């Protein structure tokens, strides 16, 4: 019996060994190296960088551009999940439950799911280039063209420091909503129709159906969506780097931590300082995920 248990353990270990080794080498090892490099003045060319302790972190906290990046990430951390989830829940409810035909959703709901999901097919860089053209400040811009034709002064969607951040946020919401519409639609499909029908017979309207049945039963899915969107908000890079001027907007109005990591590492060759930025971002992401899961924890509703 003991020998069989040993053989079974050896068999399982032989299958797990390769992926565990790969994970240690390609995931854990780079993290550990980043923590070490953050305490050096390495510029990417010297074989033995000088150890400087916490000097990079001291410099980091006195860097105005770093605090602008943190402010923008924090704003995205609140606004991106909130706006995306509200819009996605609204459309998912309409497509599955809240249509005029009762509990079957609005007419053409399958077509609308495809339309909403379409932005997910596009690469992030393609979306950024596309919206560069949409936001052009001249008559060829999709938004400014009609405004100028009406005699309205063109809006600097990407050149005005007061508008650029909101333009980036709008693009991120546009791209993310479709995926979460499909995700919430899948969650709604798993809820027994009997619950909606019973509530409707008792006189519940669309708002009651949404807040008393849909939202409580989708809470676990909403929780996961909030965490994923929060990580996206902290880890955003390509949209900002490709779409905005100076890879951070005018007067650093759209810069984020990931953009500053790339800029310091591959433009200024300050790999030690860039690693310190990466370490700070790592703790922000882990802290957000843990805090979100704890604050949104509630009793599971079974049905």
């Amino acid at each position: 019996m003991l020998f069989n248990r040993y053989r079974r353990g050896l068999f399982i270990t032989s299958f797990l060994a390769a992926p565990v080794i790969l994970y240690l080498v390609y995931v854990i090892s780079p993290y550990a190296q980043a923590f070490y490099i953050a305490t050096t003045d390495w510029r990417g060319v010297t074989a033995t960088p000088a150890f400087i302790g916490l000097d990079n972190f001291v410099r980091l906290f006195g860097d105005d551009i770093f605090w602008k990046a943190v402010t923008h990430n924090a704003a995205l951390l609140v606004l991106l999940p909130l706006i995306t989830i509200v819009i996605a829940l609204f459309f998912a409810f309409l497509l599955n439950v809240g249509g005029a035909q009762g509990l079957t959703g609005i007419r053409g709901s399958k077509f609308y799911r495809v339309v909403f999901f379409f932005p997910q097919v596009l690469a992030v860089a393609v979306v950024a280039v596309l919206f560069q053209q949409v936001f052009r400040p001249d008559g060829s811009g999709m938004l400014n063209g009609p405004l100028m034709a009406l005699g309205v002064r063109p809006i600097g969607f990407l050149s005005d420091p007061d508008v650029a951040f909101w333009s980036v946020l709008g693009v991120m919401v546009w791209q993310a909503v479709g995926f979460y519409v499909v995700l919430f639609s899948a969650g709604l499909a798993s809820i027994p129709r009997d619950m909606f029908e019973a509530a409707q017979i008792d006189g519940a309207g669309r708002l009651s159906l949404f807040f008393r049945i849909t939202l409580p039963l989708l809470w676990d899915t909403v929780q996961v969506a909030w965490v994923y969107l929060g990580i996206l908000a902290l880890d955003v890079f390509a949209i900002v780097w490709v779409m905005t001027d100076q890879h951070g907007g005018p007067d650093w109005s759209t810069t984020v931590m990931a953009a500053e990591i790339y800029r310091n590492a591959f433009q200024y060759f300050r790999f030690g300082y860039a690693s310190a930025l990466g370490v700070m971002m790592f703790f922000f992401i882990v802290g957000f995920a843990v805090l979100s899961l704890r604050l949104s924890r509630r009793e599971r509703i079974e049905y």
Side-chain angles (χ1 to χ4, degrees):
M1 184 70 178
L2 183 61
F3 179 71
N4 290 336
R5 186 177 301 173
Y6 170 77
R7 288 183 59 187
R8 185 169 62 233
L10 186 63
F11 178 77
I12 295 172
T13 304
S14 65
F15 276 93
L16 292 178
V20 168
I21 291 172
L22 290 174
Y23 185 81
L24 290 173
V25 171
Y26 292 107
V27 178
I28 301 300
S29 176
Y31 277 125
Q33 292 178 49
F35 276 81
Y36 166 70
I37 295 171
T39 61
T40 70
D41 65 350
W42 191 45
R43 297 185 64 83
V45 291
T46 56
T48 56
F51 179 78
I52 58 174
L54 299 178
D55 286 0
N56 283 326
F57 294 95
V58 174
R59 180 182 173 187
L60 193 68
F61 286 111
D63 188 344
D64 291 339
I65 297 177
F66 166 73
W67 287 113
K68 283 188 176 183
V70 170
T71 301
H72 296 148
N73 276 115
L76 289 173
L77 184 62
V78 175
L79 296 173
L80 179 63
L82 182 63
I83 297 173
T84 303
I85 288 174
V86 168
I87 295 175
L89 277 173
F90 173 74
F91 284 127
F93 183 74
L94 285 182
L95 293 176
N96 292 273
V97 179
Q101 302 165 336
L103 301 176
T104 58
I106 62 175
R107 182 175 298 176
S109 58
K110 292 182 179 179
F111 170 75
Y112 289 125
R113 287 193 188 96
V114 174
V115 172
F116 285 132
F117 192 77
F118 178 74
Q120 291 293 316
V121 179
L122 302 176
V124 177
V126 173
V127 171
V129 172
L130 173 66
F131 275 91
Q132 272 187 326
Q133 303 307 311
V134 172
F135 291 146
R136 284 181 65 90
D138 52 33
S140 62
M142 188 177 294
L143 296 179
N144 277 318
L147 291 177
M148 294 175 69
L150 294 173
V152 179
R153 184 178 179 180
I155 300 172
F157 289 103
L158 299 178
S159 58
D160 186 342
D162 296 327
V163 180
F165 173 80
W166 301 104
S167 300
V168 172
L169 174 62
V171 174
M172 293 179 68
V173 171
W174 176 84
Q175 188 183 24
V177 160
F179 174 80
Y180 292 96
V181 168
V182 175
L183 180 67
F184 295 146
S185 294
L188 281 167
S190 67
I191 300 175
R193 291 293 169 187
D194 297 347
M195 291 189 173
F196 293 110
E197 293 171 357
Q200 201 171 49
I201 291 172
D202 289 339
R206 288 187 177 85
L207 286 177
S208 296
L209 285 175
F210 179 79
F211 286 105
R212 294 183 178 275
I213 296 179
T214 304
L215 188 57
L217 295 179
L218 280 182
W219 186 254
D220 289 343
T221 308
V222 171
Q223 181 185 31
V224 172
W226 188 280
V227 173
Y228 283 171
L229 285 165
I231 293 174
L232 173 64
L234 289 172
D235 200 31
V236 59
F237 169 74
I239 286 285
V240 171
W241 194 261
V242 176
M243 192 171 73
T244 61
D245 295 333
Q246 304 171 13
H247 307 303
D251 194 24
W252 310 108
S253 56
T254 63
T255 192
V256 289
M257 285 189 287
E260 292 309 311
I261 291 172
Y262 185 91
R263 194 190 319 278
N264 279 280
F266 300 107
Q267 288 188 347
Y268 306 149
F269 298 101
R270 300 188 298 216
F271 284 88
Y273 188 69
S275 295
L277 278 163
V279 169
M280 294 301 299
M281 195 166 109
F282 168 79
F283 283 115
F284 283 148
I285 292 175
V286 173
F288 164 75
V290 172
L291 189 63
S292 295
L293 291 173
R294 283 191 171 274
L295 292 179
S296 59
R297 183 181 297 171
R298 57 184 291 177
E299 291 185 5
R300 184 178 180 86
I301 299 176
E302 296 183 0
Y303 52 88

